Amino acid sequence: VDSGVHGLKPFVHSDCGGDLRLSAGALMRWTAHCAFGSILRFHGADHRAWTYSDHMVDVVRNYLSARYRLLPSLIAAGNKATETGFPLVARGDLFWPEFRESATNTQYIFLEDILVAPLWNILWNTTGRSVWVPPGDWEDAWDGSLVRGPCTIS
């Protein structure tokens, strides 16, 4: 995520899943993060959702469907990045440098207007976290609720 702030890479990504097959929870968290990045590529150990459960297939399918709905925006942002170097994924301080809360690698802005705040911790059964919401009106993509920032929510 830092690479976007420093102008190093407009197309930054993670190797989704890494080299380890840890658990269904790890695959779910990796997929949730990687679905909202410039490149989605499962990498390393066996990360086939159907080897875990039908529920994991549904979870992964849900994230992949969300990503594919964004393809027109991804293509447009990729073209812009090629021309201007503006990243598809960036820390919030690229957009809101006046807010110290925006300077974090634990959440990021995707395609200039999607706030992504994944649950990074794959070792514990973390089910929630605090998220700094930037200025403006933001809609929760999963439940449709509206939040007006700046504020911190859990």
Side-chain angles (χ1 to χ4, degrees):
V1 176
D2 274 340
S3 297
V5 173
H6 301 295
L8 302 175
K9 297 180 189 175
F11 299 99
V12 64
H13 71 95
S14 300
D15 290 336
C16 193
D19 290 324
L20 302 173
R21 179 184 164 110
L22 295 174
S23 66
L27 177 61
M28 180 172 47
R29 293 175 200 287
W30 272 108
T31 303
H33 160 57
C34 294
F36 302 104
S38 58
I39 299 167
L40 172 59
R41 177 177 79 101
F42 288 95
H43 175 74
D46 183 0
H47 299 302
R48 295 174 298 171
W50 58 89
T51 64
Y52 291 101
S53 68
D54 289 342
H55 172 70
M56 277 307 304
V57 170
D58 291 340
V59 168
V60 170
R61 184 180 290 129
N62 187 36
Y63 281 109
L64 294 179
S65 293
R67 180 179 179 78
Y68 284 106
R69 286 191 302 273
L70 294 170
L71 275 181
S73 298
L74 273 163
I75 292 167
N79 288 334
K80 179 180 178 182
T82 301
E83 294 169 9
T84 68
F86 196 87
L88 283 73
V89 173
R91 282 189 350 196
D93 54 341
L94 181 64
F95 300 91
W96 303 280
E98 67 276 21
F99 291 95
R100 67 175 177 73
E101 299 91 344
S102 68
T104 178
N105 287 328
T106 63
Q107 63 185 56
Y108 54 93
I109 302 299
F110 177 54
L111 302 178
E112 297 187 42
D113 61 359
I114 298 173
L115 175 62
V116 181
L119 293 171
W120 294 99
N121 192 327
I122 62 172
L123 300 178
W124 294 284
N125 190 23
T126 305
T127 58
R129 57 165 289 189
S130 294
V131 175
W132 180 73
V133 179
D137 293 330
W138 296 83
E139 179 182 355
D140 187 308
W142 306 116
D143 69 14
S145 62
L146 297 177
V147 177
R148 175 163 287 167
C151 66
T152 300
I153 60 173
S154 293

